[in-house]
Amino acid sequence: MLYSTVAPAEKRRLFRERLATGELLRFPGAFNPLSARLIAQKGFEGVYISGAVLSADLGLPDIGLTTLTEVAGRGQQIARMTDLPAIIDADTGFGEPMNVARTIQTLEDAGLAGMHIEDQINPKRCGHLDGKAVVDQDTAVKRIRAAVDARRDANFLIMARTDIAAVDGLQAAVDRAKALVDAGADAIFPEAMRSLDEFAAVRDAVDVPILANMTEFGKSDLFSVDQLRDVGVNIVIWPVSLLRIAMGAASRALDTLTDEGHLTSKLGEMQHRADLYDLVDYESYNHFDANVFTFDITR
């Protein structure tokens, strides 16, 4: 009822223990708190909170327009709704190294299990678009060092994302990944890998977990969980998938409403009221007020 009964520090500890086993953990992207509960109900290992989704939710493009306050606030709303660990996209850290330090502590306070910070310049852009530019290695390293120094909970995961492969090639990505691990990164997110061999090259280069981004309509092929597991990937995210599916369904429903004047033909595609009430755990609220759950939701 209400929010998760697992404290954020405990979520982080359990997450780090599971990550250390080397198994592949699946983190679908939640586009709101309710979808995070659905991800948990379906048996996934974690929740991902995408910067692109947060931007889109505000009607904005993914070019660094969101603020730390907006991201941390939405992250808290999502993370507290499930016992699963939640990893959030912190873009370029919302400023210079001192700002990065504040970002880390703010996201810790918001109850996140971890975050990733990238090496793009400001304003950044979606990792699967052309025309990206990255900062020099010294700046990228300073961001990670600032994040590590600011962290208060050792189990809070600091992941370094590098976009340099699209700019200077795979070897540059491997070299930067090594430097970011040396700076203290707990995990590496090599963005826009084009093949399983590229993921394998990064895997071979570092001794920390790596993440694969399986976003649709991007630079990477949509590899299966089994394929990614076979090359040593430890976390896989589908950052925007649920939002895309939901928005696609909403668009088709509005077309139907325009064409038919009602949504009777769409009832089979809708989440039933009974399923919604089960997901929000309506019945448990009776523990506090016996007048809350006094109706039949099966019809």
Side-chain angles (χ1 to χ4, degrees):
M1 194 191 78
L2 291 175
Y3 308 129
S4 170
T5 58
V6 182
E10 182 67 1
K11 290 184 192 179
R12 294 170 193 146
R13 184 186 69 79
L14 294 172
F15 171 46
R16 293 297 287 263
E17 285 184 359
R18 192 162 189 182
L19 190 58
T21 68
E23 66 176 301
L24 186 146
L25 306 180
R26 303 163 302 160
F27 277 58
F31 59 90
N32 62 11
L34 187 63
S35 64
R37 294 196 73 151
L38 187 61
I39 289 166
Q41 185 186 75
K42 295 296 184 180
F44 289 89
E45 292 78 43
V47 171
Y48 179 70
I49 304 170
S50 161
V53 167
L54 293 179
S55 296
D57 191 46
L58 295 171
L60 300 171
D62 182 24
I63 54 174
L65 294 175
T66 51
T67 67
L68 172 58
T69 300
E70 290 170 330
V71 170
R74 193 60 163 165
Q76 181 186 50
Q77 291 173 343
I78 292 172
R80 71 189 180 188
M81 197 52 69
T82 170
D83 293 347
L84 296 179
I87 296 174
I88 197 164
D89 178 357
D91 285 345
T92 58
F94 303 101
E96 299 307 311
M98 188 175 295
N99 301 91
V100 171
R102 182 172 185 238
T103 293
I104 294 299
Q105 296 189 358
T106 300
L107 296 178
E108 280 185 318
D109 290 345
L112 281 305
M115 50 76 75
H116 63 77
I117 183 170
E118 63 204 55
D119 58 359
Q120 284 197 53
I121 64 168
N122 282 311
K124 53 86 47 128
R125 63 173 61 200
C126 172
H128 287 254
L129 294 179
D130 294 326
K132 293 187 295 184
V134 296
V135 297
D136 59 80
Q137 184 160 298
D138 181 64
T139 301
V141 163
K142 284 179 179 176
R143 288 177 181 174
I144 297 302
R145 286 179 178 161
V148 173
D149 289 345
R151 173 173 56 187
R152 295 158 297 179
D153 183 344
N155 286 323
F156 184 83
L157 187 81
I158 293 175
M159 182 183 300
R161 168 177 146 178
T162 179
D163 288 66
I164 201 171
V167 180
D168 293 323
L170 178 62
Q171 187 57 51
V174 167
D175 293 341
R176 180 152 295 188
K178 291 179 179 178
L180 295 170
V181 171
D182 289 343
D186 301 312
I188 293 294
F189 176 172
E191 180 63 301
M193 297 290 96
R194 294 177 178 270
S195 68
L196 290 170
D197 287 343
E198 291 191 348
F199 280 115
V202 177
R203 167 71 288 156
D204 292 342
V206 298
D207 60 358
V208 299
I210 67 170
L211 176 148
N213 179 10
M214 290 293 99
T215 191
E216 300 82 12
F217 318 115
K219 302 293 186 182
S220 302
D221 289 339
L222 298 179
F223 302 115
S224 71
V225 167
D226 288 340
Q227 287 175 304
L228 294 167
R229 182 185 294 112
D230 288 345
V231 295
V233 168
N234 307 100
I235 303 173
V236 55
I237 59 173
W238 298 268
V240 194
S241 306
L242 294 188
L243 176 68
R244 288 182 173 128
I245 289 168
M247 290 298 289
S251 179
R252 290 187 293 274
L254 292 172
D255 290 340
T256 299
L257 195 55
T258 298
D259 295 340
E260 301 176 12
H262 55 77
L263 290 172
T264 306
S265 64
K266 293 291 184 181
L267 289 177
E269 300 175 29
M270 294 184 188
Q271 180 186 51
H272 195 282
R273 180 184 296 176
D275 295 328
L276 172 60
Y277 286 3
D278 177 65
L279 190 60
V280 299
D281 200 15
Y282 217 122
E283 190 169 4
S284 71
Y285 287 81
N286 257 10
H287 176 70
F288 291 91
D289 188 341
N291 294 315
V292 169
F293 192 75
T294 59
F295 44 81
D296 182 3
I297 58 173
T298 60
R299 290 177 291 175

